[in-house]
């Protein structure tokens, strides 16, 4: 128990006595010891740890936004050593791993974030992309579903499901998913590009070109639009056109290829 203060004693004439001065000194030593004890093992230590963990997360967030992913990952790992249940750190670490192409690690962190109570609206799309990186298309379809989300998010989820169906060769299901996505978000080019991919699989190149033109109108500078133009031209054996379209995609996003 820490002392509240020194016990006052007075010498002859009301002056502080030797005993009082010794007691005061003893109090200062004990008080200092109590403060150190709190700093290193009591409630104050918990406050310091939380502040340090929060600082690590904030620094990681800055690094992530600056695309310094390696440094962000280091800070997030250190934050999680201090607090293994730091939900926001798991979520951001999952996103960082995803951008590094580490699908399995991203899946682990995002699944942990879900277990800790993360908003599913924040996790569904990055988790689906983590499955995509690992070619876990069936697991994506079993796990990632539209829900009580905004229409734009449900459209993105349906687009990801359509792509998974396409990879598995389940063309009718892919077509239906892309059509539903386009209905939910008619201003998005992604679902239209998915429909173009389905039409190419079906050999309907003319119709594919028409839908692709709609996507071009919505997003003329979108790298995926130009890549899909290249894919369609290549499928039609228009190789010179394909090279030009792929070149435009590379110009728009040099790090994507």
């Amino acid at each position: 128990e820490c002392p509240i203060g020194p016990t006052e004693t007075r010498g002859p004439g009301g002056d502080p006595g030797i005993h009082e001065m010794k007691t005061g000194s003893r109090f200062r030593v004990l008080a200092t010891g109590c403060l150190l004890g709190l700093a290193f093992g009591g409630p104050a230590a918990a406050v310091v740890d939380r502040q340090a963990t929060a600082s690590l997360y904030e620094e990681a967030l800055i690094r992530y936004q600056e695309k310094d992913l390696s440094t962000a990952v280091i800070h997030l790992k250190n934050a999680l050593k201090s607090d293994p249940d730091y939900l926001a750190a798991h979520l951001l670490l999952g996103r960082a791993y995803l951008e590094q192409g580490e699908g399995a690690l991203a899946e682990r962190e995002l699944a942990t974030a879900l277990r800790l109570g993360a908003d599913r609206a924040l996790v569904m799309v990055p988790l689906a992309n983590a499955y995509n990186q690992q070619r876990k298309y069936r697991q994506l379809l079993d796990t990632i579903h539209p829900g009580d989300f905004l229409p734009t998010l449900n459209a993105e989820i349906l687009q990801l499901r359509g792509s998974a169906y396409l990879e598995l060769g389940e063309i009718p299901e892919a077509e239906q998913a892309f059509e539903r996505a386009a209905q939910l978000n008619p201003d998005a080019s992604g679902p239209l590009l998915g429909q173009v991919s389905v039409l190419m699989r079906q050999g309907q190149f003319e119709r594919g070109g028409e839908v692709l033109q709609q996507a071009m109108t919505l997003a003329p500078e979108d790298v995926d639009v130009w890549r899909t133009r290249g894919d369609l031209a290549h499928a039609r054996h228009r190789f010179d056109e394909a090279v030009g379209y792929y070149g435009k995609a590379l110009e728009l996003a040099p790090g994507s290829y």
Side-chain angles (χ1 to χ4, degrees), residues 6 31 36 43 46 67 69 106 115 118 133 139 141 166 176-178 181-182 190 199 201 212-213 220 242:
L36 288 172
K67 300 300 181 183
L69 299 177
R115 178 178 57 79
Q133 284 190 359
Q139 190 167 348
L141 293 169
L166 200 61
Q176 183 181 31
F178 289 132
L199 291 166
R201 292 283 188 97
L212 181 56
Q213 189 56 51

Side-chain angles (χ1 to χ4, degrees), residues 7-80:
T7 302
E8 182 176 353
T9 61
R10 295 280 174 175
D15 295 328
I18 294 175
H19 176 69
E20 191 271 336
M21 289 187 285
K22 288 182 178 178
T23 303
S25 299
R26 177 175 174 271
F27 168 73
R28 285 190 292 273
V29 171
L30 288 173
T32 301
C34 285
L35 289 173
L36 288 172
L38 289 173
F40 289 101
V47 172
V48 170
D49 286 345
R50 285 196 296 271
Q51 290 175 342
T53 303
S55 295
L56 285 168
Y57 174 80
E58 289 168 5
E59 183 62 28
L61 183 59
I62 291 170
R63 298 294 186 176
Y64 175 83
Q65 291 170 341
E66 294 174 346
K67 300 300 181 183
D68 183 0
L69 299 177
S70 297
T71 304
V73 166
I74 291 170
H75 287 315
L76 290 167
K77 284 182 175 180
N78 287 333
L80 289 169

Side-chain angles (χ1 to χ4, degrees), residues 221 223-224 247-257:
E221 297 299 308
V223 61
D224 289 328
K248 177 65 175 180
L250 185 62
E251 177 185 326
L252 290 170
S256 298
Y257 293 91

Side-chain angles (χ1 to χ4, degrees), residues 74-96:
I74 291 170
H75 287 315
L76 290 167
K77 284 182 175 180
N78 287 333
L80 289 169
K81 283 181 183 178
S82 176
D83 183 358
D85 290 338
Y86 197 159
L87 190 157
H90 283 292
L91 188 57
L92 185 59
L93 184 55
R95 290 178 177 274

Side-chain angles (χ1 to χ4, degrees), residues 208-237:
E210 293 171 3
V211 177
L212 181 56
Q213 189 56 51
Q214 297 175 39
M216 283 289 299
T217 301
L218 290 172
E221 297 299 308
D222 188 290
V223 61
D224 289 328
V225 168
W226 286 95
R227 179 187 55 77
T228 304
R229 288 193 76 179
D231 291 345
L232 182 59
H234 187 272
R236 302 176 79 174
H237 303 288

